[in-house]
Amino acid sequence: MSPDTPATADTADKRALLDVLERLAGECESALGQASSLEDVEALRVEFLGRKGRLAQAMNAMAKLPPQDKPEAGKAANTAKAALAALLDAALETRKRAAAAAAFAGFDPTVPGRPPLQGSLHPVTLVMEEVCDILSRLGFSVVAGPEVENDWNNFEALNMPPDHPARDMQDTLYVTESILLRTHTSPLQVRSMLARKPPVAVIAPGKVYRRDSDLTHTPMFHQIEGLLVDTKTSMSDLRGVLAHVCRKLFGDDTRLRFRPSFFPFTEPSAEVDISCAICKGTGACNGTPCRVCKTTGWLEILGCGMVDPGVFAQVGYDPETYVGWAFGMGVERIAMLKYGIGDLRMFFENDLRFLGQFY
Ligand code: DAH
């Protein structure tokens, strides 16, 4: 009887059935020789051991044997079943091993792993941390305030009542008529004076917002505010502190220049220039005109002045008793000069080739 012709009732004599059973394992083995994949092996398991498979068909035929022939046929069926199961299990195991080995082909376990990508601090953060570090050593406390600020802290208490023309330069996004994205860190002067009694010495780094967007302005940028209030201090203290900060940031040979200016919340007020860190104040680099300071040899980096008595009055400090000074510097500007970054937009493009250089 051919293996493809399963034992049926017509062929149900003992000899024929034993013959079928004896041949099953061999046939399975040769079929397995052609089965390369796990799926092929599973298909053969169904063909030989499945509910309607070859062994099951033989068992059906056995039911029709005369009772005295059944024990011998039953034994042969059990033997065939065990042999088939062993063959299929072993085949499955070797295919699994082969699949695993193939998955690791070319894998060299001795090659060192790739180091995980490590972040670095943003140049703006680095400058803020450095300035805070320098001023902390002089006794200033670092303070922070909300970026969504009220009109009074941002403008009114700083001598900029509604419709004051100085507001025009600092237009911003309004959340309501009196709540806005702060346009500078100067509201931290107001908040600090309201929260503390003199002497006050604080610095406030943070984000500020203005309706400004071109090659040299971004709608969000960073400032660092400084404020010192005491019974006795003067513009020369301010100058000394700023000179110290600038020399720590840009080198001991950095020179400072104070230009008279105007801010509503300081009187007198000044803008401070430092000697150009690129051309060392000469206006030229190796004979070519310095592009950074536009040959002037000077770079503007901050605004400052003596706290206006009107501001003291707003926060409840007696203007007859207290004096103070304040300054506000742009962080991106300082980072550009310190690290030689030519384009402001690079700070906010999140290009890792740029950011990865500031380890
Ligand atoms: N808040 C000013 C601005 O954003 C900068 C400034 C000028 C801050 C003078 C000060 C200061 O504290 O005294 O333009």
Side-chain angles (χ1 to χ4, degrees):
M1 193 170 70
S2 112
D4 299 332
T5 332
T8 64
D10 304 337
T11 60
D13 62 290
K14 187 177 84 172
R15 190 60 257 153
L17 182 58
L18 289 177
D19 203 37
V20 169
L21 287 169
E22 269 163 28
R23 284 196 333 232
L24 275 183
E27 286 166 16
C28 181
E29 194 167 13
S30 63
L32 280 170
Q34 311 293 316
S36 51
S37 70
L38 288 170
E39 290 76 21
D40 293 343
V41 176
E42 278 310 325
L44 286 172
R45 186 187 293 281
V46 172
E47 182 181 335
F48 283 89
L49 289 175
R51 266 197 316 126
K52 293 181 183 160
R54 305 267 290 270
L55 182 68
Q57 287 168 12
M59 302 287 267
N60 288 341
M62 189 169 69
K64 290 165 188 150
L65 285 180
Q68 70 277 15
D69 288 344
K70 285 188 177 172
E72 195 186 343
K75 230 173 135 185
N78 281 339
T79 309
K81 185 176 181 183
L84 287 171
L87 280 170
L88 288 160
D89 286 349
L92 203 63
E93 192 55 33
T94 47
R95 302 302 182 282
K96 275 189 187 161
R97 288 225 182 102
F104 281 98
F107 172 73
D108 178 353
T110 65
V111 172
R114 281 191 205 131
L117 193 64
Q118 207 183 10
S120 55
L121 291 179
H122 194 280
V124 163
T125 308
L126 287 173
V127 167
M128 292 204 294
E129 287 195 348
E130 189 173 351
V131 173
C132 289
D133 189 51
I134 296 166
L135 286 161
S136 299
R137 284 162 202 262
L138 297 184
F140 285 77
S141 313
V142 180
V143 295
E147 289 165 31
V148 180
E149 189 46 285
N150 64 51
D151 185 278
W152 193 79
N153 285 333
N154 194 84
F155 288 130
E156 269 204 74
L158 293 166
N159 278 344
M160 283 182 275
D163 301 323
H164 191 287
R167 286 192 179 209
D168 290 353
M169 286 190 295
Q170 302 194 5
D171 196 12
T172 181
L173 203 70
Y174 282 75
V175 180
T176 69
E177 212 163 295
S178 60
I179 307 282
L180 44 84
L181 295 187
R182 68 181 180 194
T183 58
H184 50 179
T185 42
S186 301
L188 264 304
Q189 291 188 33
V190 178
R191 287 179 171 272
S192 302
M193 286 191 278
L194 289 174
R196 294 161 185 242
K197 286 198 180 335
V200 172
V202 291
I203 35 167
K207 292 186 170 61
V208 300
Y209 302 84
R210 287 190 200 178
R211 193 177 166 281
D212 251 346
S213 188
D214 58 36
L215 274 184
T216 53
H217 296 89
T218 47
M220 185 281 298
F221 59 104
H222 298 78
Q223 287 187 337
I224 301 173
E225 193 80 12
L227 171 73
L228 184 134
V229 181
D230 207 341
T231 49
K232 216 172 154 247
T233 185
S234 69
M235 207 133 175
S236 62
D237 292 335
L238 168 64
R239 191 183 169 107
V241 167
L242 290 177
H244 175 72
V245 172
C246 293
R247 286 178 188 143
K248 285 279 174 212
L249 281 173
F250 295 108
D252 286 341
D253 53 354
T254 307
R255 284 169 293 126
L256 260 64
R257 177 170 87 168
F258 278 56
R259 278 183 292 106
S261 185
F262 173 78
F263 298 101
F265 39 92
T266 43
E267 182 61 34
S269 304
E271 277 170 326
V272 173
D273 301 338
I274 56 165
S275 50
C276 178
I278 309 297
C279 65
K280 298 285 166 211
T282 62
C285 302
N286 302 326
T288 52
C290 180
R291 283 191 303 147
V292 177
C293 63
K294 302 198 178 71
T295 74
T296 63
W298 295 101
L299 294 161
E300 182 192 326
I301 60 157
L302 59 87
C304 64
M306 301 303 293
V307 178
D308 192 295
V311 176
F312 281 146
Q314 294 276 11
V315 297
Y317 280 14
D318 179 2
E320 298 300 323
T321 312
Y322 296 112
V323 278
W325 42 260
F327 62 86
M329 55 174 89
V331 181
E332 281 80 1
R333 186 77 203 263
I334 291 174
M336 287 174 86
L337 294 174
K338 193 171 162 67
Y339 299 117
I341 299 163
D343 187 340
L344 178 70
R345 292 168 298 184
M346 295 181 101
F347 287 119
F348 307 112
E349 282 170 348
N350 286 337
D351 187 333
L352 290 182
R353 288 169 303 179
F354 169 71
L355 296 176
Q357 295 177 37
F358 299 93
Y359 277 98

